[in-house]
Amino acid sequence: MTHLDRTDRKLLKALQQNAQLTAQELGDLLNLSASQAGRRRLRLEQSGLIERYAARIDPAQLGLSVQSFVQVQMASQSPEAAQAFLSLTERRDEITSVWTLTGDADYLMRVYCHDLASLNRLIHEILLPHASVARVQSQIVLDHVKKDTPLPTDHS
């Protein structure tokens, strides 16, 4: 775990809100020089704490009108079955996130599709026929009422 002081935490919070802040803008927010702010950001990037920068895109603008959470229960718990299934998820662009879980489902996936027919094809033609999959259950998102938010950067 990377040691973070109060200024590092403020820097992380600011970058989660706007990753395009310049060193000068970060310096102004943190009461540091631009070079000090830039060095802090670089240190956090090099430590791996800041994994990457990405743009958040509106799925509706891309015609992705159906968001779903899909739970998958595996037929086998073998490492080979898991690897075969995870390889499948890596090849499917509509599967944007995959988590392993405790409980009945082994995996939870976030899926974005153009329409219900596309979701149905993914489930019935791709996931269910896969040899590693025993059961699939999906929940269609009606409304995304709290958007993904920045991670908490303090310990309170």
Side-chain angles (χ1 to χ4, degrees):
M1 189 166 111
T2 304
H3 171 72
L4 300 175
D5 64 18
R6 183 186 205 148
T7 303
D8 289 332
R9 293 178 191 287
K10 286 176 68 176
L11 182 144
L12 290 170
K13 186 173 183 175
L15 287 176
Q16 287 186 93
Q17 295 292 334
N18 180 1
Q20 294 183 314
L21 290 172
T22 65
Q24 183 61 56
E25 291 167 327
L26 280 172
D28 292 346
L29 283 169
L30 303 171
N31 296 318
L32 299 173
S33 70
S35 61
Q36 288 173 315
R39 282 193 301 273
R40 279 180 179 263
R41 176 176 23 202
L42 181 61
R43 178 178 54 81
L44 295 172
E45 291 168 350
Q46 290 176 338
S47 75
L49 183 64
I50 297 175
E51 294 178 345
R52 64 186 172 100
Y53 297 97
R56 291 191 181 181
I57 298 172
D58 179 1
Q61 296 285 334
L62 293 176
L64 300 170
S65 62
V66 175
Q67 180 183 182
S68 177
F69 287 94
V70 178
Q71 295 180 37
V72 175
Q73 188 175 39
M74 301 296 284
S76 166
Q77 300 299 321
S78 75
E80 298 80 18
Q83 187 53 52
F85 177 72
L86 293 174
S87 292
L88 168 71
T89 67
E90 288 295 323
R91 294 189 306 270
R92 302 301 305 192
D93 289 340
E94 64 266 70
I95 300 172
T96 61
S97 298
V98 179
W99 298 271
T100 58
L101 303 173
T102 60
D104 291 337
D106 296 300
Y107 295 98
L108 175 66
M109 303 182 300
R110 177 184 276 167
V111 174
Y112 287 91
C113 293
H114 290 284
D115 52 30
L116 289 173
S118 299
L119 177 61
N120 187 55
R121 279 191 300 279
L122 174 68
I123 291 170
H124 291 281
E125 296 175 16
I126 306 297
L127 297 175
L128 282 171
H130 194 276
S132 300
V133 173
R135 186 172 148 267
V136 173
Q137 182 178 4
S138 64
Q139 293 85 32
I140 295 170
V141 174
L142 298 176
D143 191 15
H144 194 164
V145 295
K146 181 178 179 181
K147 301 294 182 187
D148 296 339
T149 62
L151 293 173
T153 57
D154 58 13
H155 296 288
S156 54

